[in-house]
Amino acid sequence: KLFLKETIKPVHSNNIIFTITPVLGFSLSLMFWGMASSSNMTYYLLFSLLLFFCMTSLNVYVVLLSGWASNSMYAFLGALRASAQTISYEISMILILLFPAFLQWTFSWNIMYNGYGVMILMVPVSVAWTIS
């Protein structure tokens, strides 16, 4: 249903990038499911936390490209503002998520889920995340 709806394109937009950018954003969001741990995993990601950081930083480019492809100055300025806001929130998220990683000396989600002692310490960290 998402791809079969009627597409509305601005007249002076860059049609190729304007069409490809939502598909890139959707495929990027689907890639996050590959990092979800389950009981029947066939592979093991050693540095899944670093992969999560890299994939979340790619979202900035999707937002910036979507504003640039419309060839509208208002959309581009909005995309620049949204990208700057995304980067500022990513910095605080990275610092908060590195706290349990450094306590357990691992960058793997699977090993972090098994560390229940760190989860107790995540209560003050979640308060810091809410404040920031």
Short mmCIF file of all heavy atoms in Angstrom, two decimals, residues 25-73:
data_model
loop_
_atom_site.label_atom_id
_atom_site.label_comp_id
_atom_site.label_asym_id
_atom_site.label_seq_id
_atom_site.Cartn_x
_atom_site.Cartn_y
_atom_site.Cartn_z
N GLY A 25 15.26 5.47 2.99
CA GLY A 25 14.90 5.61 4.40
C GLY A 25 14.13 4.41 4.92
O GLY A 25 14.35 3.96 6.05
N PHE A 26 13.23 3.88 4.11
CA PHE A 26 12.45 2.71 4.52
C PHE A 26 13.33 1.47 4.63
O PHE A 26 13.21 0.70 5.58
CB PHE A 26 11.32 2.48 3.51
CG PHE A 26 10.37 1.40 3.90
CD1 PHE A 26 9.57 1.53 5.03
CD2 PHE A 26 10.27 0.25 3.15
CE1 PHE A 26 8.70 0.53 5.39
CE2 PHE A 26 9.40 -0.75 3.50
CZ PHE A 26 8.60 -0.62 4.63
N SER A 27 14.25 1.30 3.68
CA SER A 27 15.15 0.15 3.75
C SER A 27 16.13 0.28 4.91
O SER A 27 16.50 -0.72 5.53
CB SER A 27 15.90 -0.02 2.44
OG SER A 27 16.71 1.10 2.19
N LEU A 28 16.52 1.51 5.25
CA LEU A 28 17.38 1.71 6.41
C LEU A 28 16.66 1.34 7.70
O LEU A 28 17.23 0.70 8.59
CB LEU A 28 17.84 3.16 6.46
CG LEU A 28 18.75 3.56 7.61
CD1 LEU A 28 20.09 2.86 7.49
CD2 LEU A 28 18.94 5.05 7.63
N SER A 29 15.39 1.68 7.79
CA SER A 29 14.63 1.33 8.99
C SER A 29 14.38 -0.18 9.07
O SER A 29 14.31 -0.74 10.16
CB SER A 29 13.32 2.08 9.04
OG SER A 29 12.49 1.70 7.97
N LEU A 30 14.28 -0.85 7.93
CA LEU A 30 14.11 -2.31 7.95
C LEU A 30 15.40 -3.03 8.33
O LEU A 30 15.35 -4.16 8.84
CB LEU A 30 13.63 -2.80 6.59
CG LEU A 30 12.18 -2.49 6.23
CD1 LEU A 30 11.86 -3.01 4.84
CD2 LEU A 30 11.23 -3.10 7.24
N MET A 31 16.53 -2.40 8.10
CA MET A 31 17.81 -3.04 8.46
C MET A 31 18.01 -3.14 9.97
O MET A 31 18.82 -3.95 10.43
CB MET A 31 18.97 -2.27 7.84
CG MET A 31 19.21 -2.60 6.40
SD MET A 31 20.78 -1.95 5.87
CE MET A 31 20.25 -0.44 5.08
N PHE A 32 17.29 -2.35 10.74
CA PHE A 32 17.43 -2.43 12.20
C PHE A 32 16.91 -3.76 12.74
O PHE A 32 17.31 -4.18 13.82
CB PHE A 32 16.69 -1.27 12.87
CG PHE A 32 17.44 0.02 12.83
CD1 PHE A 32 17.08 1.01 11.95
CD2 PHE A 32 18.52 0.22 13.66
CE1 PHE A 32 17.76 2.19 11.90
CE2 PHE A 32 19.22 1.41 13.62
CZ PHE A 32 18.84 2.40 12.74
N TRP A 33 16.03 -4.42 12.02
CA TRP A 33 15.53 -5.72 12.47
C TRP A 33 16.62 -6.79 12.43
O TRP A 33 16.53 -7.77 13.14
CB TRP A 33 14.36 -6.17 11.62
CG TRP A 33 13.07 -5.55 12.03
CD1 TRP A 33 12.82 -4.88 13.17
CD2 TRP A 33 11.86 -5.56 11.29
NE1 TRP A 33 11.53 -4.45 13.19
CE2 TRP A 33 10.91 -4.85 12.05
CE3 TRP A 33 11.49 -6.08 10.08
CZ2 TRP A 33 9.62 -4.68 11.63
CZ3 TRP A 33 10.19 -5.89 9.67
CH2 TRP A 33 9.27 -5.21 10.44
N GLY A 34 17.62 -6.59 11.62
CA GLY A 34 18.73 -7.56 11.57
C GLY A 34 19.55 -7.58 12.84
O GLY A 34 20.24 -8.56 13.10
N MET A 35 19.46 -6.53 13.61
CA MET A 35 20.23 -6.48 14.85
C MET A 35 19.45 -6.98 16.06
O MET A 35 20.02 -7.13 17.13
CB MET A 35 20.68 -5.04 15.11
CG MET A 35 21.70 -4.58 14.14
SD MET A 35 22.31 -2.95 14.52
CE MET A 35 20.83 -1.99 14.45
N ALA A 36 18.18 -7.22 15.90
CA ALA A 36 17.37 -7.70 17.03
C ALA A 36 17.75 -9.13 17.35
O ALA A 36 17.77 -10.00 16.47
CB ALA A 36 15.89 -7.61 16.69
N SER A 37 18.06 -9.38 18.60
CA SER A 37 18.47 -10.73 18.98
C SER A 37 17.23 -11.59 19.24
O SER A 37 16.21 -11.12 19.74
CB SER A 37 19.34 -10.68 20.23
OG SER A 37 18.63 -10.10 21.29
N SER A 38 17.33 -12.83 18.86
CA SER A 38 16.25 -13.78 19.10
C SER A 38 16.86 -15.11 19.48
O SER A 38 18.07 -15.30 19.43
CB SER A 38 15.37 -13.93 17.86
OG SER A 38 16.11 -14.48 16.81
N SER A 39 16.02 -16.06 19.84
CA SER A 39 16.54 -17.36 20.30
C SER A 39 17.04 -18.23 19.15
O SER A 39 17.83 -19.12 19.36
CB SER A 39 15.44 -18.10 21.07
OG SER A 39 14.33 -18.31 20.20
N ASN A 40 16.60 -17.96 17.93
CA ASN A 40 17.03 -18.78 16.80
C ASN A 40 17.88 -17.96 15.82
O ASN A 40 17.67 -18.04 14.62
CB ASN A 40 15.83 -19.40 16.10
CG ASN A 40 14.83 -18.35 15.67
OD1 ASN A 40 14.99 -17.18 15.93
ND2 ASN A 40 13.77 -18.80 15.01
N MET A 41 18.82 -17.21 16.34
CA MET A 41 19.70 -16.43 15.47
C MET A 41 20.67 -17.36 14.77
O MET A 41 21.26 -18.25 15.39
CB MET A 41 20.47 -15.38 16.27
CG MET A 41 19.65 -14.17 16.61
SD MET A 41 20.59 -12.91 17.47
CE MET A 41 21.83 -12.51 16.29
N THR A 42 20.87 -17.15 13.48
CA THR A 42 21.82 -17.98 12.74
C THR A 42 23.18 -17.31 12.63
O THR A 42 24.12 -17.93 12.18
CB THR A 42 21.29 -18.24 11.32
OG1 THR A 42 21.06 -16.99 10.67
CG2 THR A 42 20.00 -19.04 11.39
N TYR A 43 23.27 -16.07 13.03
CA TYR A 43 24.55 -15.37 12.99
C TYR A 43 24.71 -14.57 14.28
O TYR A 43 23.78 -14.36 15.03
CB TYR A 43 24.65 -14.45 11.77
CG TYR A 43 23.60 -13.37 11.75
CD1 TYR A 43 23.85 -12.12 12.30
CD2 TYR A 43 22.35 -13.60 11.19
CE1 TYR A 43 22.89 -11.14 12.30
CE2 TYR A 43 21.38 -12.62 11.19
CZ TYR A 43 21.66 -11.39 11.75
OH TYR A 43 20.72 -10.43 11.74
N TYR A 44 25.91 -14.13 14.50
CA TYR A 44 26.21 -13.41 15.72
C TYR A 44 26.97 -12.14 15.35
O TYR A 44 28.05 -12.21 14.77
CB TYR A 44 27.05 -14.30 16.64
CG TYR A 44 27.42 -13.67 17.95
CD1 TYR A 44 26.47 -13.54 18.95
CD2 TYR A 44 28.71 -13.25 18.18
CE1 TYR A 44 26.81 -12.97 20.15
CE2 TYR A 44 29.05 -12.68 19.39
CZ TYR A 44 28.09 -12.55 20.37
OH TYR A 44 28.42 -11.99 21.56
N LEU A 45 26.39 -11.00 15.65
CA LEU A 45 27.05 -9.73 15.38
C LEU A 45 27.95 -9.37 16.56
O LEU A 45 27.48 -9.22 17.69
CB LEU A 45 26.03 -8.62 15.17
CG LEU A 45 25.27 -8.64 13.86
CD1 LEU A 45 24.19 -7.58 13.87
CD2 LEU A 45 26.20 -8.42 12.71
N LEU A 46 29.23 -9.24 16.29
CA LEU A 46 30.16 -8.97 17.37
C LEU A 46 30.09 -7.52 17.83
O LEU A 46 30.10 -7.23 19.02
CB LEU A 46 31.58 -9.31 16.91
CG LEU A 46 32.67 -9.26 17.96
CD1 LEU A 46 32.34 -10.22 19.09
CD2 LEU A 46 34.00 -9.59 17.34
N PHE A 47 30.00 -6.60 16.89
CA PHE A 47 29.95 -5.18 17.24
C PHE A 47 28.61 -4.58 16.81
O PHE A 47 28.55 -3.62 16.06
CB PHE A 47 31.10 -4.43 16.55
CG PHE A 47 32.45 -4.90 16.98
CD1 PHE A 47 33.28 -5.56 16.11
CD2 PHE A 47 32.88 -4.67 18.27
CE1 PHE A 47 34.52 -5.98 16.51
CE2 PHE A 47 34.12 -5.08 18.67
CZ PHE A 47 34.95 -5.74 17.80
N SER A 48 27.53 -5.13 17.32
CA SER A 48 26.21 -4.67 16.90
C SER A 48 25.89 -3.27 17.42
O SER A 48 25.12 -2.55 16.80
CB SER A 48 25.14 -5.66 17.36
OG SER A 48 25.20 -5.82 18.76
N LEU A 49 26.47 -2.87 18.53
CA LEU A 49 26.23 -1.52 19.04
C LEU A 49 26.86 -0.48 18.11
O LEU A 49 26.25 0.54 17.81
CB LEU A 49 26.79 -1.37 20.45
CG LEU A 49 26.54 -0.04 21.14
CD1 LEU A 49 25.06 0.15 21.40
CD2 LEU A 49 27.32 0.06 22.42
N LEU A 50 28.06 -0.76 17.61
CA LEU A 50 28.68 0.16 16.67
C LEU A 50 27.92 0.20 15.35
O LEU A 50 27.82 1.26 14.72
CB LEU A 50 30.14 -0.24 16.44
CG LEU A 50 31.05 -0.12 17.65
CD1 LEU A 50 32.44 -0.59 17.31
CD2 LEU A 50 31.07 1.28 18.17
N LEU A 51 27.39 -0.93 14.93
CA LEU A 51 26.57 -0.96 13.72
C LEU A 51 25.29 -0.14 13.92
O LEU A 51 24.86 0.58 13.01
CB LEU A 51 26.22 -2.39 13.35
CG LEU A 51 25.36 -2.59 12.11
CD1 LEU A 51 26.13 -2.14 10.87
CD2 LEU A 51 24.94 -4.03 11.98
N PHE A 52 24.71 -0.20 15.10
CA PHE A 52 23.54 0.61 15.42
C PHE A 52 23.86 2.10 15.35
O PHE A 52 23.09 2.89 14.81
CB PHE A 52 23.02 0.23 16.81
CG PHE A 52 21.89 1.08 17.29
CD1 PHE A 52 20.62 0.92 16.79
CD2 PHE A 52 22.11 2.06 18.25
CE1 PHE A 52 19.58 1.71 17.23
CE2 PHE A 52 21.08 2.86 18.70
CZ PHE A 52 19.81 2.68 18.18
N PHE A 53 25.01 2.50 15.89
CA PHE A 53 25.41 3.91 15.84
C PHE A 53 25.61 4.37 14.39
O PHE A 53 25.20 5.47 14.03
CB PHE A 53 26.70 4.14 16.62
CG PHE A 53 26.53 4.01 18.11
CD1 PHE A 53 27.62 3.67 18.89
CD2 PHE A 53 25.32 4.23 18.73
CE1 PHE A 53 27.49 3.56 20.26
CE2 PHE A 53 25.18 4.11 20.09
CZ PHE A 53 26.27 3.78 20.86
N CYS A 54 26.23 3.54 13.57
CA CYS A 54 26.46 3.91 12.17
C CYS A 54 25.15 4.02 11.40
O CYS A 54 24.98 4.93 10.58
CB CYS A 54 27.38 2.90 11.51
SG CYS A 54 29.05 2.91 12.13
N MET A 55 24.23 3.09 11.64
CA MET A 55 22.97 3.12 10.91
C MET A 55 22.08 4.27 11.34
O MET A 55 21.36 4.85 10.52
CB MET A 55 22.25 1.78 11.06
CG MET A 55 22.92 0.69 10.24
SD MET A 55 22.25 -0.94 10.52
CE MET A 55 20.53 -0.72 10.35
N THR A 56 22.10 4.63 12.61
CA THR A 56 21.30 5.77 13.03
C THR A 56 21.86 7.08 12.50
O THR A 56 21.11 8.03 12.27
CB THR A 56 21.20 5.86 14.57
OG1 THR A 56 22.51 5.86 15.12
CG2 THR A 56 20.38 4.73 15.12
N SER A 57 23.17 7.14 12.30
CA SER A 57 23.74 8.37 11.74
C SER A 57 23.42 8.51 10.26
O SER A 57 23.45 9.62 9.72
CB SER A 57 25.25 8.39 11.97
OG SER A 57 25.88 7.38 11.23
N LEU A 58 23.10 7.42 9.57
CA LEU A 58 22.72 7.52 8.16
C LEU A 58 21.36 8.16 7.96
O LEU A 58 21.05 8.63 6.86
CB LEU A 58 22.73 6.13 7.52
CG LEU A 58 24.10 5.51 7.28
CD1 LEU A 58 23.95 4.11 6.74
CD2 LEU A 58 24.91 6.36 6.34
N ASN A 59 20.56 8.20 9.00
CA ASN A 59 19.24 8.82 8.90
C ASN A 59 19.33 10.32 8.61
O ASN A 59 18.44 10.90 8.00
CB ASN A 59 18.45 8.58 10.19
CG ASN A 59 17.02 8.96 10.06
OD1 ASN A 59 16.45 8.93 8.98
ND2 ASN A 59 16.43 9.35 11.18
N VAL A 60 20.43 10.94 9.03
CA VAL A 60 20.63 12.36 8.77
C VAL A 60 20.69 12.62 7.27
O VAL A 60 20.11 13.58 6.76
CB VAL A 60 21.93 12.84 9.46
CG1 VAL A 60 22.27 14.26 9.08
CG2 VAL A 60 21.80 12.71 10.96
N TYR A 61 21.36 11.74 6.54
CA TYR A 61 21.49 11.92 5.09
C TYR A 61 20.16 11.72 4.37
O TYR A 61 19.90 12.37 3.36
CB TYR A 61 22.55 10.98 4.53
CG TYR A 61 23.92 11.26 5.07
CD1 TYR A 61 24.54 10.38 5.94
CD2 TYR A 61 24.58 12.42 4.72
CE1 TYR A 61 25.79 10.65 6.45
CE2 TYR A 61 25.84 12.69 5.21
CZ TYR A 61 26.44 11.81 6.08
OH TYR A 61 27.67 12.08 6.58
N VAL A 62 19.34 10.83 4.87
CA VAL A 62 18.03 10.61 4.26
C VAL A 62 17.16 11.86 4.39
O VAL A 62 16.51 12.30 3.43
CB VAL A 62 17.34 9.38 4.89
CG1 VAL A 62 15.91 9.26 4.43
CG2 VAL A 62 18.10 8.12 4.57
N VAL A 63 17.17 12.46 5.57
CA VAL A 63 16.38 13.68 5.78
C VAL A 63 16.92 14.83 4.94
O VAL A 63 16.17 15.59 4.32
CB VAL A 63 16.38 14.04 7.29
CG1 VAL A 63 15.75 15.40 7.52
CG2 VAL A 63 15.66 12.98 8.08
N LEU A 64 18.24 14.96 4.89
CA LEU A 64 18.85 16.04 4.12
C LEU A 64 18.61 15.88 2.62
O LEU A 64 18.31 16.86 1.92
CB LEU A 64 20.35 16.09 4.41
CG LEU A 64 21.09 17.34 4.03
CD1 LEU A 64 20.51 18.53 4.75
CD2 LEU A 64 22.55 17.19 4.35
N LEU A 65 18.70 14.67 2.12
CA LEU A 65 18.44 14.42 0.70
C LEU A 65 16.98 14.66 0.33
O LEU A 65 16.68 15.15 -0.76
CB LEU A 65 18.82 12.99 0.32
CG LEU A 65 20.25 12.76 -0.10
CD1 LEU A 65 20.50 11.28 -0.33
CD2 LEU A 65 20.59 13.54 -1.34
N SER A 66 16.08 14.31 1.23
CA SER A 66 14.66 14.53 0.92
C SER A 66 14.32 16.01 0.83
O SER A 66 13.49 16.41 0.02
CB SER A 66 13.79 13.83 1.96
OG SER A 66 13.99 14.42 3.22
N GLY A 67 14.96 16.84 1.65
CA GLY A 67 14.72 18.27 1.54
C GLY A 67 15.40 18.89 0.34
O GLY A 67 14.87 19.81 -0.29
N TRP A 68 16.58 18.38 -0.01
CA TRP A 68 17.31 18.93 -1.14
C TRP A 68 16.68 18.54 -2.48
O TRP A 68 16.69 19.32 -3.43
CB TRP A 68 18.75 18.44 -1.10
CG TRP A 68 19.58 18.89 -2.26
CD1 TRP A 68 20.06 20.13 -2.48
CD2 TRP A 68 19.98 18.08 -3.36
NE1 TRP A 68 20.76 20.16 -3.65
CE2 TRP A 68 20.73 18.91 -4.22
CE3 TRP A 68 19.79 16.75 -3.71
CZ2 TRP A 68 21.27 18.43 -5.39
CZ3 TRP A 68 20.33 16.28 -4.87
CH2 TRP A 68 21.07 17.13 -5.70
N ALA A 69 16.10 17.35 -2.55
CA ALA A 69 15.55 16.86 -3.82
C ALA A 69 14.30 17.60 -4.25
O ALA A 69 13.94 17.57 -5.43
CB ALA A 69 15.25 15.37 -3.72
N SER A 70 13.63 18.29 -3.34
CA SER A 70 12.41 18.99 -3.73
C SER A 70 12.69 20.32 -4.42
O SER A 70 11.78 20.92 -4.98
CB SER A 70 11.54 19.22 -2.51
OG SER A 70 12.18 20.12 -1.63
N ASN A 71 13.93 20.79 -4.40
CA ASN A 71 14.33 22.07 -5.00
C ASN A 71 13.52 23.25 -4.46
O ASN A 71 13.28 24.21 -5.16
CB ASN A 71 14.25 22.04 -6.53
CG ASN A 71 15.45 21.37 -7.14
OD1 ASN A 71 16.47 21.22 -6.49
ND2 ASN A 71 15.32 20.97 -8.38
N SER A 72 13.11 23.15 -3.24
CA SER A 72 12.42 24.24 -2.57
C SER A 72 13.31 24.71 -1.42
O SER A 72 13.83 23.90 -0.65
CB SER A 72 11.08 23.76 -2.01
OG SER A 72 10.51 24.75 -1.18
N MET A 73 13.49 26.00 -1.32
CA MET A 73 14.36 26.53 -0.28
C MET A 73 13.77 26.30 1.11
O MET A 73 14.50 26.05 2.06
CB MET A 73 14.60 28.03 -0.51
CG MET A 73 15.69 28.58 0.38
SD MET A 73 17.26 27.71 0.26
CE MET A 73 17.88 28.39 -1.24
#
